[in-house]
Each structure stands twice: as structure tokens, then as C-alpha cells.
Amino acid sequence: MAERIHAPRHMRHRLPTDTLWVGRGSPWENPWTARRRLATRPAGDDHPDAGEPHPGRWQWDVINLHTGELHQTHTGRYGHPEHEARTQCVHLYEALTLPYRLEAAQLDPAELTGKTLACDCRADAPCHAEVLAALTRQETPA
């Protein structure tokens, strides 16, 4: 059964033999990423700093690295915008990217069976490797 572990990118060449790298640079990579940027004040605002960076306010953008498409921006007045953006990246991978790659016969889920899946996502953050591990559990006959 596949499981997910955290492995920094610089360690991916020193992984155990039963571990498969599924992060950036692999065929299983998630093209969706969450990027942090400093929020700006609304341009139509009466504040003297309208349109300028808003100190202390961060926004998280969900971006497709292959196309450069900005999918959505998460702002953080309430809730946890980083977690929301990272979760959305995993959902986009599961809903859009993975079905396309499997249908186009670019990837074979049998390759993941019995492997430990390594990615450089933080251990406490949502990760597309969890989606891949769930896929192998579905593919494995009982």
C-alpha cells in the first residue's frame, strides 16, 4: 500500500529504493501551486496608499506552473488562506490534471503500487501524493 513521506528536493536523489519521487520534475507532479504575495489596497479606495502594497497583508494565489494561469486568489482577513490555497491545488490536481494524464495513457497507476511516495510538500500541508496513495488503494484488488 502506498504512503506519503516528506522529502526535501535536494534529498530526492538519495531516497530508498522502494520510494518514488512524485514532486516537481516527475511525471506525477502537481502543476498547481500556491504562491504568496503582498496584498495591495484597492485602487478605488480613499486611502492615500490606494494601489500600494498593504503591509502585513498577504494573499495566496493558485497558479498553474505549466500555463501561468492564475486560477484564484485567497485573501486572509478570516480563515487560513495558505491552507485554503494548498487544498485547492490538491483538488485541482485530483479533478483536472490526474484524470487527463491517466486518460491520455501518460501514467500507469500500477507503477505506484507498493511504493512510498515522496514529495517536498510540508508534512502538515495538503499534498497531491495523498491523492495518488488513495488511487493505488482503489486500484489494488482486495
Side-chain angles (χ1 to χ4, degrees):
M1 183 181 321
E3 65 178 81
R4 170 195 168 212
I5 63 167
H6 167 74
R9 276 184 214 176
H10 68 277
M11 295 293 291
R12 73 180 189 189
H13 300 292
R14 292 189 240 159
L15 296 172
T17 57
D18 66 335
T19 303
L20 180 67
W21 176 256
V22 295
R24 301 266 183 255
S26 84
W28 297 96
E29 75 177 346
N30 186 356
W32 299 96
T33 189
R35 296 280 168 94
R36 184 176 81 160
R37 68 179 167 93
L38 195 58
T40 56
R41 293 184 188 273
D45 196 358
D46 291 335
H47 196 278
D49 295 335
E52 296 295 316
H54 193 320
R57 290 272 173 94
W58 294 97
Q59 294 178 334
W60 288 85
D61 296 332
V62 175
I63 301 169
N64 186 320
L65 293 176
H66 294 178
T67 63
E69 169 196 358
L70 172 62
H71 185 75
Q72 187 174 356
T73 298
H74 295 268
T75 56
R77 182 163 283 226
Y78 305 105
H80 304 281
E82 178 184 6
H83 183 77
E84 292 166 7
R86 293 186 188 283
T87 301
Q88 186 178 21
C89 290
V90 173
H91 288 302
L92 288 168
Y93 180 78
E94 184 175 20
L96 301 176
T97 307
L98 188 59
Y100 170 76
R101 289 182 181 170
L102 292 174
E103 185 178 305
Q106 296 174 344
L107 303 174
D108 180 16
E111 178 185 349
L112 304 174
T113 306
K115 301 275 187 177
T116 301
L117 307 178
C119 187
D120 59 349
C121 292
R122 288 193 332 244
D124 62 340
C127 179
H128 73 290
E130 295 165 354
V131 173
L132 295 173
L135 177 70
T136 59
R137 284 192 288 274
Q138 291 174 358
E139 294 287 327
T140 306

